[in-house]
Amino acid sequence: MVAKAGVLVGDGPATTMDLTAIQQAQLEAVKMRAIVNPPSDVPRYRDIGVDTFLVQLLSPMPAQLPTSPQEFVSQFAPAVEAFVAVGVQDFEIHGEPN
């Protein structure tokens, strides 16, 4: 299924105002950022009708600090595991220049 409309959510946990706006706009998809947005928000978005999730793995210091593949995996593995545990299957991996 392809979502008709979606949004990149803001920093931190979803607020009541965020959820209300997404529901009123009848958005079907959200892009979340690992480490920035909590996996515990996924069920909250599902409750208001969102059924498509994409989680972005984006280095917090792009082009500022060299990050080895091992460091990248170590940094994001716990977040990926937490999102998978709540049913997210799609991830966007960014490989910024180091």
Side-chain angles (χ1 to χ4, degrees):
M1 174 182 252
V2 177
K4 294 179 188 173
V7 67
L8 171 64
V9 298
D11 293 352
T15 66
T16 301
M17 287 176 44
D18 295 333
L19 295 169
T20 299
I22 290 169
Q23 185 175 34
Q24 287 178 350
Q26 299 178 337
L27 299 179
E28 299 171 346
V30 295
K31 180 188 282 190
M32 302 171 75
R33 289 166 286 165
I35 303 171
V36 174
N37 303 114
S40 58
D41 278 350
V42 171
R44 297 175 71 204
Y45 289 122
R46 279 196 181 107
D47 288 346
I48 61 165
V50 173
D51 59 13
T52 302
F53 297 89
L54 179 65
V55 175
Q56 186 179 59
L57 309 179
L58 177 61
S59 173
M61 308 256 319
Q64 296 178 27
L65 183 65
T67 304
S68 73
Q70 294 82 5
E71 290 170 328
F72 188 87
V73 169
S74 293
Q75 180 177 5
F76 286 106
V80 169
E81 184 177 5
F83 277 102
V84 168
V86 294
V88 174
Q89 298 178 356
D90 297 307
F91 295 87
E92 177 182 350
I93 301 170
H94 280 248
E96 297 80 21
N98 288 325

